[in-house]
Amino acid sequence: GVAIDPAGVIYITDAGGAALRVCRFNNSPDSTVGGTVTTLAGGSSAGLVDGSLERALLNRPAGVAVARDGMIVVADTGNKLVRAVVGENRQQGAPLTSEAITMLRSTAEQMRRAGEPRWPYDPPVRPREIAATFGEIRGLLSSDPAESMGPWFHNGLDVPGGYGETVRLLRAERILRPLSVTSVDTARERIRFPLLGYAHLRVGRHADDREFSDERFIIGRDAAGRVARVRVRRGARFAAGDAIGTLNNQNHVHLIAGPAGAEMNALAALELPNVKDTVAPTIELNGVRLFDREWKEFQSIASTVTAVAERGPKTGPVAVQSDVRIVVQAYDQMDGNAIRRRLGLYRLGYQILNLDGTPVPQFAEPLMTISFENLPDDSAAVPLVYAEGSQAGYTEKTVFAYIITNTVRDREIREDFWRASTLPPGEYIVRVFAEDFFGNRTTRDVTVQVTASANSAGATS
Ligand SMILES: [Zn+2]
C-alpha cells in the first residue's frame, strides 16, 4: 500500500521486508529527483511487537493510510491487526500485552486438532527420523564478529527423506500469498501456506524438473528451459495428503508449523503418527559451567595436596558468589537417530539444593527457564539462549551450550542470574534439568561453595 500525507511524504508498506518505509523528496527548486527512502518501523524481521519505532515489528504489512490528524494506520496482514503509528503522549490505541498477543494466536494444541495425523511423505503413518528440532541455533556464535556466522533460530523440524521423494501437505490449506514459492531453483526453494511452510523442495516438479500434472502449479522457464518461477494462484485449495513437490539435494524437508513470524514447535502443533523418543538427553562431560556477570568462569576449589598425591587430581566444589550464570552443554537424540546426530533440547532449568538434597527456599520446584513452544520475536535474542561456541549446521560440529539462568519462554526473553549471595555461605548443589519434547529428562548435580561476595561483606566496591 501507498499513502501520502499533506506534506507530500510518501508512506509505503513493504510486505516482504516487514517494514513501513518513508519516501521524502527534496523541495529545493533546482533539485528534480533528489530524495531519500528510510524505514519508519519494522524491517529487521517479521513479528508482532509494539513500542517505539525502533522496536516495533510488523508482519506482511499490506496497506497504509494517513488519517486527517496525521496518525498513520497500517494493515498488518500477517498479524491480522490494524496497527497505528501514534506520536508520543497520544492516547489512541494501546500497546499489546503479551497475554493479548497470545490470545490473538492460535495455539499448537488447536493446530494439532485441526490437522491430519500423518508424515509429510507416504506411507502417511510410517515414522521417519527427526534430524533437527525447533529452536536449535543455526550458524556459529563467536565473540569475534568476523568468525560469527548468523546466528539464528532453527524455526522448523527437519524430516529426512530420499532424494526426489514426494512431499505431501499435512492439512487442508489455501494459498493466500501472491508469491508463495520463493528461492526457486535453489537448495532453499520453499512454499508458504498460511499455517505450514516447506523448504528444500522442487515445488510442483519431479526430481528431473518435469512438472507435476497439476494445474495449480504454474511453472515459468527461462530461454534455456531452466525453471525461473513457480506460481500458485491465490486462493488455490489443497487437501491434506496432496503432493506439493519433491525433495531436492538437501534430502530433508524443513517443516514449519504456524504462521510466518509466529512459528510454533512442530512437534506440538503437528501429529506425526508413531513418532518415538525414549532416549534421554545427554549432558556432556564437564557440560555444566558457572560464570560471573562478566563471563569469567568460577573455578573449583583445589583439593588438598595429600588427596592429589594419593588419588591423582581431584577437584572440590566450585566457589561462587554474587550473580551466577549457569551454562549447560547438552543435546538430545530420538529413537532411530544416527549416533552422530545431535538434536536441540525442549526445556531446561535448574534448582538449588542443600547438601542433604532438600531444596533451598525459592527453589521448592525446579525453575524451568528455557522452553521452546515458540521462539522469541527477534533473532537478536540468540546470544541470550546460547553461549559462545554454540554452533550447528555450519560445520560438522554441533554444540548447544544453553544459558539456563536466562529466561526464554512464552516469547519472552530476559537476561537473569542465580543470585547465589542471597544464601548463607556454605556448600550447595546446583541441579541442572535437560528435557526433550517427549518428557525424557536428564539431571546433573554440581557442588558449589557459596562465598560471601565483597559487596555483601560491606567492602568497597
Ligand atoms: Zn531445517
Side-chain angles (χ1 to χ4, degrees):
V2 177
I4 305 176
D5 77 6
V9 178
I10 303 172
Y11 299 90
I12 304 164
T13 52
D14 175 356
L20 178 60
R21 317 238 189 239
V22 187
C23 245
R24 284 188 178 84
F25 292 97
N26 286 340
N27 287 325
S28 67
D30 48 20
S31 151
T32 49
V33 289
T36 56
V37 176
T38 54
T39 300
L40 187 64
S44 58
S45 62
L48 176 52
V49 175
D50 266 352
S52 64
L53 291 174
E54 295 75 34
R55 209 177 104 74
L57 294 178
L58 305 161
N59 190 351
R60 277 191 296 125
V64 60
V66 180
R68 208 166 292 160
D69 64 358
M71 183 170 73
I72 303 158
V73 181
V74 178
D76 189 6
T77 312
N79 285 321
K80 299 193 175 82
L81 288 173
V82 175
R83 315 272 301 274
V85 180
V86 297
E88 277 179 88
N89 307 320
R90 292 280 294 266
Q91 294 305 310
Q92 277 150 317
L96 283 165
T97 61
S98 58
E99 291 76 24
I101 291 173
T102 305
M103 282 171 62
L104 282 169
R105 290 173 161 149
S106 64
T107 64
E109 177 63 32
Q110 287 166 339
M111 186 167 166
R112 189 185 181 100
R113 278 200 304 263
E116 188 100 336
R118 66 161 298 143
W119 289 79
Y121 308 110
D122 273 346
V125 296
R126 191 183 115 204
R128 303 291 182 122
E129 192 188 354
I130 303 285
T133 57
F134 183 80
E136 290 179 8
I137 187 174
R138 278 295 174 274
L140 167 65
L141 196 63
S142 165
S143 59
D144 177 1
E147 204 178 78
S148 273
M149 159 78 191
W152 61 94
F153 290 113
H154 188 248
N155 69 357
L157 198 66
D158 287 353
V159 187
Y163 177 75
E165 187 167 1
T166 301
V167 179
R168 296 180 182 277
L169 198 59
L170 291 157
R171 55 178 289 149
E173 289 247 66
R174 198 154 62 99
I175 289 289
L176 292 181
R177 295 182 172 203
L179 293 173
S180 58
V181 184
T182 50
S183 304
V184 170
D185 199 31
T186 73
R188 296 167 59 81
E189 183 171 330
R190 54 186 58 211
I191 180 165
R192 202 39 163 112
F193 295 89
L195 288 173
L196 289 172
Y198 289 78
H200 310 311
L201 303 188
R202 285 187 173 87
V203 176
R205 284 118 66 211
H206 299 279
D208 59 3
D209 261 343
R210 234 174 352 106
E211 293 159 26
F212 283 2
S213 44
D214 182 337
E215 59 193 21
R216 290 174 296 188
F217 298 103
I218 303 148
I219 316 282
R221 294 181 187 265
D222 64 15
R226 260 186 104 91
V227 175
R229 297 172 303 281
V230 180
R231 302 287 298 268
V232 183
R233 258 187 218 98
R234 262 171 100 168
R237 288 177 186 280
F238 287 77
D242 279 2
I244 50 177
T246 54
L247 284 184
N248 67 20
N249 62 3
Q250 300 299 297
N251 299 327
H252 72 269
V253 67
H254 173 93
L255 186 58
I256 302 169
E263 296 85 358
M264 317 173 188
N265 193 315
L267 286 173
L270 305 174
E271 193 174 343
L272 304 170
N274 306 316
V275 65
K276 195 172 169 196
D277 182 1
T278 58
V279 187
T282 300
I283 298 176
E284 297 191 53
L285 187 68
N286 303 319
V288 180
R289 299 172 68 188
L290 308 174
F291 298 85
D292 71 8
R293 256 180 192 271
E294 279 69 50
W295 286 102
K296 199 165 150 296
E297 187 165 5
F298 289 113
Q299 300 297 328
S300 291
I301 299 163
S303 52
T304 62
V305 175
T306 6
V308 172
E310 278 169 11
R311 290 188 292 274
K314 191 180 162 218
T315 50
V318 180
V320 300
Q321 57 173 248
S322 306
D323 296 338
V324 179
R325 302 178 192 268
I326 307 173
V327 174
V328 181
Q329 196 169 317
Y331 59 89
D332 187 38
Q333 293 202 307
M334 291 176 65
D335 298 65
N337 276 161
I339 296 291
R340 64 182 166 79
R341 183 81 68 208
R342 290 182 170 200
L343 303 175
L345 299 185
Y346 179 59
R347 289 212 311 164
L348 297 109
Y350 68 101
Q351 189 175 26
I352 310 299
L353 310 167
N354 295 300
L355 283 186
D356 66 5
T358 57
V360 305
Q362 291 156 30
F363 280 96
E365 298 294 328
L367 183 64
M368 300 309 280
T369 47
I370 297 181
S371 188
F372 287 117
E373 276 92 21
N374 41 47
L375 290 172
D377 279 311
D378 193 351
S379 66
V382 175
L384 284 173
V385 180
Y386 293 98
E388 238 186 275
S390 294
Q391 59 175 297
Y394 176 60
T395 61
E396 287 298 289
K397 205 168 156 199
T398 299
V399 176
F400 302 125
Y402 299 91
I403 309 169
I404 61 166
T405 33
N406 292 343
T407 295
V408 187
R409 54 183 308 158
D410 310 323
R411 296 185 180 276
E412 296 286 331
I413 183 144
R414 192 174 73 240
E415 182 175 46
D416 208 348
F417 303 90
W418 166 42
R419 318 266 171 193
S421 295
T422 58
L423 292 173
E427 289 195 8
Y428 298 91
I429 295 165
V430 174
R431 179 166 294 168
V432 164
F433 296 82
E435 287 179 12
D436 63 28
F437 178 80
F438 299 89
N440 301 298
R441 173 186 264 195
T442 298
T443 64
R444 173 79 51 86
D445 289 356
V446 173
T447 308
V448 295
Q449 172 131 37
V450 174
T451 61
S453 73
N455 287 340
S456 65
T460 54
S461 51

